[in-house]
Amino acid sequence: MRAVIQRVLEAKVVVEGQTTGEIQHGLLVFLGLGKADTLEKGQKLIDKILKYRIFDDEQGKMGWNISQANGGILLVSQFTLMAQTQKGLRPDFGPAMPPVEAKALYEQLVTYTCQQFAHVQTGVFAADMKVHLVNDGPVTFNLEVE
């Protein structure tokens, strides 16, 4: 399981001309699910994201987490994060979780995130999403859990 998190001033997901999720200041989280991933692993990753200190505190240092920064989370599924890219000129999506399983796990992780944090918006699983964002910094991190 992999996540790319970006500190944003604003972000939204548009599907077929309709905004499906939108936040102001906060985190845009792209989440990739692999074949061996589990709910427990996902909960561990979500907990890490919620505690990850990448927002400026009163001293201007990255000392605050999303809650302390009073931000929102936009959680977007992105199977391309699981691609193997070491060989050749075309990504290999073999490591990605099959869509039916991935949708079920993604929905469980959305539910879990909403239980842990009040300000959560999402994209639409497997949709052709247009993601708009204003990256703050830019501040972008790749996170994984074992």
Side-chain angles (χ1 to χ4, degrees):
M1 185 171 301
R2 295 182 183 139
V4 171
I5 63 173
Q6 296 183 305
R7 190 175 74 184
V8 297
L9 296 176
E10 60 186 55
K12 69 178 178 178
V13 174
V14 177
V15 177
E16 296 180 5
Q18 300 289 350
T19 299
T20 64
E22 183 172 17
I23 62 168
Q24 294 304 307
H25 165 74
L27 291 175
L28 172 58
V29 178
F30 291 108
L31 184 64
L33 305 175
K35 287 180 179 176
D37 289 333
T38 64
L39 177 58
E40 294 75 24
K41 199 175 191 181
Q43 289 171 333
K44 186 176 177 183
L45 182 59
I46 295 299
D47 290 343
K48 183 173 185 173
I49 291 167
L50 292 174
K51 294 175 185 171
Y52 215 64
R53 298 181 305 164
I54 63 171
F55 292 91
D56 293 346
D57 60 19
E58 0 5 79
Q59 285 83 39
K61 306 268 187 215
M62 288 187 187
W64 284 351
N65 62 35
I66 186 70
S67 181
Q68 293 167 311
N70 295 312
I73 292 177
L74 180 55
L75 187 59
V76 178
S77 64
Q78 188 173 356
F79 80 98
T80 61
L81 288 179
M82 300 311 295
Q84 289 181 340
T85 58
Q86 296 83 354
K87 295 181 187 177
L89 299 176
R90 174 182 267 169
D92 174 7
F93 298 112
M97 184 177 282
V100 172
E101 295 170 43
K103 182 176 183 183
L105 180 55
Y106 172 73
E107 289 174 353
Q108 289 176 311
L109 291 172
V110 167
T111 299
Y112 179 76
T113 306
C114 290
Q115 291 168 345
Q116 304 305 308
F117 190 72
H119 308 290
V120 179
Q121 296 282 303
T122 66
V124 176
F125 186 87
D128 180 14
M129 295 179 274
K130 308 303 180 210
V131 181
H132 304 256
L133 70 134
V134 177
N135 201 318
D136 182 14
V139 175
T140 303
F141 294 97
N142 296 314
L143 299 181
E144 292 187 45
V145 293
E146 298 188 23

